[in-house]
Structures are given as C-alpha cells and as structure tokens.
Amino acid sequence: QVQLVESGGGLVEPGGSLRLSCAASGSIARFAVMGWYRQAPGKRLELVATMTSGGSTNYTDSVKGRFTISRDNAGNTVWLQMNSLKPEDTAVYYCAAIKATFPPQNYWGRGTQVTVSS
C-alpha cells in the first residue's frame, strides 16, 4: 500500500515563502510522475506542478516563476518550493503519485493547508 504524507503547510503573509514536502512509503523512483495539486474552498481541484522521473516539469500558469517542484529519485521525497505567495494561493495542497501501469495507478496524500493572509 502506497502512502503519501504531506507536511510544511501553514499560515504565511503575502510575499512570503513555504516549502512543502511529500514523503512516500518507499522509493519514488517507481512512480512515473509526482505532482502537487490544490483545492481552494468552493473551487475544483487544480494541478499545480508535476515532475516526471526523467526530470520534466509542468506548472500551471498562475505559479510559473514562483513555485518549483523537485524530487529525490534516490529517496522518497518530493518538494514544492513556493515563493512570492499570494492570497489566491490559499488552498489545501495534495501530493500525488502516478504509476505508469495500464491503467495508470494514482495515489494521493491527505493534504496540507496553506493559508496566505496578512
């Protein structure tokens, strides 16, 4: 059973930074894609950033230049460095992992709250 545990969320003022971590139960090298998603109150789940095992990244437009995803393929951790945070970044952030099986297998963490407010 795959477990993903997020940490690093909290309350931060606009313009501040946070670093989210996602620890997997076992090596993340087995996952083709690791990613971060978020859901704000009353809104749909939104892709924030993904990173393939080969290092290719993808970001939603609203976070480009501010957020950076990274992964430790030799270990079990994925990070999301969030800089220049804005109130609209407030959401529950979820870690996700995708195995390249047929059909693909998706795994989710329970989420960590990020609140950007003065």
Side-chain angles (χ1 to χ4, degrees), residues 38 48-49 57-68 83-84 86 89:
R38 67 186 179 187
V48 177
T57 57
N58 180 51
Y59 297 92
T60 191
D61 286 346
S62 62
V63 308
K64 285 179 181 177
R66 300 188 298 122
F67 290 13
T68 303
N83 299 327
S84 302
K86 304 176 181 180
D89 294 317

mmCIF file of all heavy atoms in Angstrom, residues 38 48-49 57-68 83-84 86 89:
data_model
loop_
_atom_site.group_PDB
_atom_site.id
_atom_site.type_symbol
_atom_site.label_atom_id
_atom_site.label_comp_id
_atom_site.label_asym_id
_atom_site.label_seq_id
_atom_site.Cartn_x
_atom_site.Cartn_y
_atom_site.Cartn_z
ATOM 1 N N ARG A 38 -3.978 21.360 -5.791
ATOM 2 C CA ARG A 38 -4.558 22.141 -4.708
ATOM 3 C C ARG A 38 -6.041 22.338 -4.930
ATOM 4 O O ARG A 38 -6.527 22.285 -6.053
ATOM 5 C CB ARG A 38 -3.859 23.502 -4.577
ATOM 6 C CG ARG A 38 -4.069 24.450 -5.755
ATOM 7 C CD ARG A 38 -3.209 25.694 -5.574
ATOM 8 N NE ARG A 38 -3.375 26.610 -6.697
ATOM 9 C CZ ARG A 38 -2.636 27.715 -6.857
ATOM 10 N NH1 ARG A 38 -1.702 28.048 -5.973
ATOM 11 N NH2 ARG A 38 -2.862 28.491 -7.905
ATOM 12 N N VAL A 48 -1.090 21.905 -9.812
ATOM 13 C CA VAL A 48 -0.139 22.982 -9.532
ATOM 14 C C VAL A 48 1.170 22.731 -10.277
ATOM 15 O O VAL A 48 1.648 23.585 -11.016
ATOM 16 C CB VAL A 48 0.142 23.095 -8.025
ATOM 17 C CG1 VAL A 48 1.199 24.173 -7.760
ATOM 18 C CG2 VAL A 48 -1.135 23.407 -7.258
ATOM 19 N N ALA A 49 1.743 21.552 -10.071
ATOM 20 C CA ALA A 49 3.025 21.233 -10.700
ATOM 21 C C ALA A 49 3.218 19.726 -10.745
ATOM 22 O O ALA A 49 2.767 19.018 -9.842
ATOM 23 C CB ALA A 49 4.180 21.872 -9.922
ATOM 24 N N THR A 57 9.252 19.012 -16.089
ATOM 25 C CA THR A 57 8.313 19.663 -15.185
ATOM 26 C C THR A 57 7.194 20.356 -15.953
ATOM 27 O O THR A 57 7.349 20.710 -17.132
ATOM 28 C CB THR A 57 9.014 20.704 -14.299
ATOM 29 O OG1 THR A 57 9.662 21.667 -15.141
ATOM 30 C CG2 THR A 57 10.051 20.046 -13.406
ATOM 31 N N ASN A 58 6.092 20.544 -15.245
ATOM 32 C CA ASN A 58 4.938 21.239 -15.800
ATOM 33 C C ASN A 58 4.299 22.026 -14.674
ATOM 34 O O ASN A 58 4.147 21.507 -13.555
ATOM 35 C CB ASN A 58 3.934 20.240 -16.383
ATOM 36 C CG ASN A 58 2.724 20.926 -16.963
ATOM 37 O OD1 ASN A 58 2.850 21.844 -17.750
ATOM 38 N ND2 ASN A 58 1.544 20.493 -16.561
ATOM 39 N N TYR A 59 3.962 23.288 -14.945
ATOM 40 C CA TYR A 59 3.365 24.156 -13.933
ATOM 41 C C TYR A 59 2.107 24.803 -14.487
ATOM 42 O O TYR A 59 2.037 25.158 -15.670
ATOM 43 C CB TYR A 59 4.331 25.270 -13.527
ATOM 44 C CG TYR A 59 5.600 24.795 -12.868
ATOM 45 C CD1 TYR A 59 6.736 24.540 -13.629
ATOM 46 C CD2 TYR A 59 5.676 24.620 -11.493
ATOM 47 C CE1 TYR A 59 7.912 24.102 -13.034
ATOM 48 C CE2 TYR A 59 6.847 24.180 -10.887
ATOM 49 C CZ TYR A 59 7.960 23.927 -11.663
ATOM 50 O OH TYR A 59 9.123 23.503 -11.071
ATOM 51 N N THR A 60 1.140 25.019 -13.615
ATOM 52 C CA THR A 60 0.013 25.825 -14.026
ATOM 53 C C THR A 60 0.491 27.271 -14.170
ATOM 54 O O THR A 60 1.416 27.713 -13.481
ATOM 55 C CB THR A 60 -1.144 25.712 -13.013
ATOM 56 O OG1 THR A 60 -2.305 26.288 -13.569
ATOM 57 C CG2 THR A 60 -0.814 26.403 -11.697
ATOM 58 N N ASP A 61 -0.128 28.009 -15.086
ATOM 59 C CA ASP A 61 0.375 29.345 -15.422
ATOM 60 C C ASP A 61 0.483 30.272 -14.216
ATOM 61 O O ASP A 61 1.415 31.078 -14.114
ATOM 62 C CB ASP A 61 -0.532 29.989 -16.471
ATOM 63 C CG ASP A 61 -0.347 29.389 -17.848
ATOM 64 O OD1 ASP A 61 0.659 28.668 -18.062
ATOM 65 O OD2 ASP A 61 -1.205 29.627 -18.721
ATOM 66 N N SER A 62 -0.458 30.153 -13.287
ATOM 67 C CA SER A 62 -0.506 31.114 -12.181
ATOM 68 C C SER A 62 0.666 30.964 -11.203
ATOM 69 O O SER A 62 0.893 31.868 -10.389
ATOM 70 C CB SER A 62 -1.828 30.977 -11.419
ATOM 71 O OG SER A 62 -1.936 29.688 -10.855
ATOM 72 N N VAL A 63 1.408 29.865 -11.263
ATOM 73 C CA VAL A 63 2.521 29.680 -10.325
ATOM 74 C C VAL A 63 3.882 29.701 -11.016
ATOM 75 O O VAL A 63 4.922 29.624 -10.341
ATOM 76 C CB VAL A 63 2.370 28.373 -9.510
ATOM 77 C CG1 VAL A 63 1.002 28.300 -8.862
ATOM 78 C CG2 VAL A 63 2.650 27.147 -10.351
ATOM 79 N N LYS A 64 3.899 29.787 -12.331
ATOM 80 C CA LYS A 64 5.173 29.786 -13.056
ATOM 81 C C LYS A 64 6.053 30.943 -12.599
ATOM 82 O O LYS A 64 5.600 32.077 -12.471
ATOM 83 C CB LYS A 64 4.922 29.877 -14.566
ATOM 84 C CG LYS A 64 4.425 28.588 -15.179
ATOM 85 C CD LYS A 64 4.179 28.736 -16.667
ATOM 86 C CE LYS A 64 3.657 27.433 -17.258
ATOM 87 N NZ LYS A 64 3.331 27.570 -18.705
ATOM 88 N N GLY A 65 7.313 30.627 -12.344
ATOM 89 C CA GLY A 65 8.255 31.638 -11.883
ATOM 90 C C GLY A 65 8.237 31.839 -10.376
ATOM 91 O O GLY A 65 9.107 32.523 -9.829
ATOM 92 N N ARG A 66 7.250 31.251 -9.697
ATOM 93 C CA ARG A 66 7.150 31.411 -8.230
ATOM 94 C C ARG A 66 7.327 30.074 -7.503
ATOM 95 O O ARG A 66 7.881 30.030 -6.406
ATOM 96 C CB ARG A 66 5.797 32.011 -7.846
ATOM 97 C CG ARG A 66 5.545 33.372 -8.451
ATOM 98 C CD ARG A 66 4.266 34.018 -7.870
ATOM 99 N NE ARG A 66 3.071 33.238 -8.150
ATOM 100 C CZ ARG A 66 2.255 32.753 -7.221
ATOM 101 N NH1 ARG A 66 2.508 32.942 -5.927
ATOM 102 N NH2 ARG A 66 1.162 32.070 -7.579
ATOM 103 N N PHE A 67 6.818 28.998 -8.092
ATOM 104 C CA PHE A 67 6.877 27.680 -7.458
ATOM 105 C C PHE A 67 7.875 26.794 -8.189
ATOM 106 O O PHE A 67 8.040 26.893 -9.406
ATOM 107 C CB PHE A 67 5.516 26.986 -7.515
ATOM 108 C CG PHE A 67 4.450 27.592 -6.634
ATOM 109 C CD1 PHE A 67 4.611 28.836 -6.033
ATOM 110 C CD2 PHE A 67 3.255 26.908 -6.419
ATOM 111 C CE1 PHE A 67 3.619 29.380 -5.233
ATOM 112 C CE2 PHE A 67 2.264 27.440 -5.626
ATOM 113 C CZ PHE A 67 2.442 28.681 -5.029
ATOM 114 N N THR A 68 8.522 25.918 -7.439
ATOM 115 C CA THR A 68 9.461 24.953 -8.031
ATOM 116 C C THR A 68 9.233 23.585 -7.420
ATOM 117 O O THR A 68 9.244 23.436 -6.194
ATOM 118 C CB THR A 68 10.916 25.382 -7.782
ATOM 119 O OG1 THR A 68 11.131 26.688 -8.294
ATOM 120 C CG2 THR A 68 11.878 24.411 -8.468
ATOM 121 N N ASN A 83 7.376 30.503 -3.496
ATOM 122 C CA ASN A 83 7.842 31.858 -3.192
ATOM 123 C C ASN A 83 6.828 32.889 -3.659
ATOM 124 O O ASN A 83 5.952 32.589 -4.463
ATOM 125 C CB ASN A 83 9.189 32.106 -3.877
ATOM 126 C CG ASN A 83 10.278 31.155 -3.413
ATOM 127 O OD1 ASN A 83 10.310 30.725 -2.258
ATOM 128 N ND2 ASN A 83 11.192 30.809 -4.321
ATOM 129 N N SER A 84 6.982 34.097 -3.160
ATOM 130 C CA SER A 84 6.100 35.211 -3.543
ATOM 131 C C SER A 84 4.633 34.796 -3.456
ATOM 132 O O SER A 84 3.852 35.024 -4.387
ATOM 133 C CB SER A 84 6.432 35.675 -4.975
ATOM 134 O OG SER A 84 7.782 36.065 -5.071
ATOM 135 N N LYS A 86 0.725 34.471 -2.755
ATOM 136 C CA LYS A 86 -0.385 35.409 -2.878
ATOM 137 C C LYS A 86 -1.605 34.840 -2.152
ATOM 138 O O LYS A 86 -1.713 33.617 -1.993
ATOM 139 C CB LYS A 86 -0.737 35.602 -4.360
ATOM 140 C CG LYS A 86 0.425 36.054 -5.222
ATOM 141 C CD LYS A 86 0.021 36.114 -6.685
ATOM 142 C CE LYS A 86 1.180 36.552 -7.563
ATOM 143 N NZ LYS A 86 0.796 36.607 -9.005
ATOM 144 N N ASP A 89 -3.258 31.814 -3.513
ATOM 145 C CA ASP A 89 -2.607 30.507 -3.385
ATOM 146 C C ASP A 89 -3.162 29.722 -2.200
ATOM 147 O O ASP A 89 -2.796 28.555 -2.010
ATOM 148 C CB ASP A 89 -1.093 30.679 -3.201
ATOM 149 C CG ASP A 89 -0.418 31.273 -4.415
ATOM 150 O OD1 ASP A 89 -0.742 30.859 -5.550
ATOM 151 O OD2 ASP A 89 0.451 32.156 -4.241
#
